[in-house]
Amino acid sequence: DTEVTQTPKHLVMGMTNKKSLKCEQHMGHRAMYWYKQKAKKPPELMFVYSYEKLSINESVPSRFSPECPNSSLLNLHLHALQPEDSALYLCAPIMILLGSSYNEQFFGPGTRLTVL
Amino acid sequence: RKEVEQDPGPFNVPEGATVAFNCTYSNSASQSFFWYRQDCRKEPKLLMSVYSSGNEDGRFTAQLNRASQYISLLIRDSKLSDSATYLCVVNPYGQNFVFGPGTRLSVLP
C-alpha cells in the first residue's frame, strides 16, 4: 500500500466558494494522478503529475486548478464549481515495480465533494 | 468499440458459489492488467495484477489471454464480503490506465 491520505473526506461548497483538496503520499512515488468519479461510473482521469510537473490535462475546465508544490503533496484548487462537479475525487500515485517497466496504481480514500 | 469492456452485470450469486467475470480490451499494446474491487462510496482497491498469463491469490484467480485480448477473474467459494463492483483496468505500454465500466457482484446469504 502507498499510504495515501486525502483531505478533507467530505466537502460541501457553494458555487461561489473557493476550496482546495489535498493529497499526500510519503512513499516517494513520482507520478500522481487525479481522478473524478461519478456514481456507478469508473474513475475518469483529470490530471497527471510526473516529477512535480503537469504532464497531462484531460481538457479539464479552468475552475479546477491542480498544483504540485513538492513530490509528496498534490492540491486541487476549486473555484466557481457547478453542481455537476459533485463527485468523488481520487488521488492515485503510481508505484513502479523494481526491475521492470510495470506500474501499479493505488488510490487514496478520496474526497466526496458536493456542490450546492 | 470501447477500449475496455466488461460483463454488464449485476451478478447475484449465493454464498459459496463460483463466479467468473470477463473483460475484453481493444489495444493490443496493453502490457499490464489489473482487477480492482470497489465498495460503495469507497475508493477502488487493487485486488490483483496480471503481467503474464495469470495470477492466483487464495480464492481469486485471474487469467489473461493475449491472443483473444481478454482477461477473466474467477472467485471461488464466494463470501458475503465479496459483494462489490469489480473494475478491470488495462495499462497499454507508455499510456494511461484505462478503466472498464465495472461489474457489480452481490453475494446473497
Side-chain angles (χ1 to χ4, degrees):
Chain A
D1 202 350
T2 60
E3 298 179 7
V4 184
T5 59
Q6 287 189 247
T7 53
K9 288 187 177 169
H10 301 275
L11 178 62
V12 180
M13 61 187 287
M15 290 190 284
T16 57
N17 293 156
K18 282 186 182 180
K19 297 284 184 185
S20 295
L21 310 185
K22 183 171 152 182
C23 169
E24 273 191 284
Q25 58 94 8
H26 297 285
M27 301 294 288
H29 304 304
R30 306 315 295 263
M32 294 176 72
Y33 288 47
W34 272 117
Y35 289 92
K36 171 184 176 180
Q37 187 176 24
K38 302 281 278 184
K40 300 188 191 302
K41 297 285 187 184
E44 179 185 338
L45 183 63
M46 299 176 73
F47 303 104
V48 178
Y49 270 86
S50 180
Y51 291 88
E52 298 153 47
K53 298 219 181 307
L54 184 64
S55 60
I56 294 175
N57 178 340
E58 290 288 332
S59 303
V60 179
S62 59
R63 57 186 185 268
F64 294 91
S65 175
E67 180 200 14
C68 189
N70 58 62
S71 60
S72 301
L73 185 56
L74 195 58
N75 295 319
L76 186 61
H77 302 297
L78 315 172
H79 174 54
L81 294 195
Q82 305 294 313
E84 59 264 28
D85 296 323
S86 299
L88 179 67
Y89 287 83
L90 295 159
C91 164
I94 302 298
M95 182 175 81
I96 298 172
L97 299 183
L98 289 175
S100 79
S101 59
Y102 298 130
N103 304 323
E104 287 188 345
Q105 184 165 81
F106 295 89
F107 289 86
T111 294
R112 187 158 297 282
L113 173 68
T114 303
V115 182
L116 302 176
Chain B
R1 181 185 172 187
K2 291 182 182 172
E3 283 193 74
V4 179
E5 297 192 72
Q6 295 187 238
D7 289 333
F11 283 59
N12 298 312
V13 303
E15 259 187 298
T18 295
V19 60
F21 305 134
N22 288 314
C23 169
T24 57
Y25 59 95
S26 59
N27 189 337
S28 58
S30 299
Q31 64 166 13
S32 310
F33 307 86
F34 309 90
W35 284 102
Y36 285 80
R37 69 165 283 163
Q38 186 170 25
D39 294 289
C40 189
R41 302 179 70 80
K42 297 282 191 181
E43 77 275 22
K45 289 190 187 296
L46 183 62
L47 180 65
M48 194 165 287
S49 306
V50 183
Y51 303 109
S52 56
S53 59
N55 198 356
E56 184 171 334
D57 183 5
R59 298 183 293 110
F60 299 86
T61 301
Q63 296 252 320
L64 171 63
N65 185 319
R66 287 187 189 273
S68 301
Q69 294 184 200
Y70 80 81
I71 180 166
S72 63
L73 177 68
L74 183 77
I75 305 176
R76 289 179 295 277
D77 188 23
S78 302
K79 312 289 185 194
L80 296 176
S81 57
D82 293 333
S83 297
T85 295
Y86 289 81
L87 293 162
C88 174
V89 182
V90 173
N91 184 206
Y93 181 75
Q95 299 181 39
N96 293 319
F97 295 79
V98 184
F99 288 76
T103 300
R104 176 151 181 76
L105 170 67
S106 292
V107 181
L108 308 172

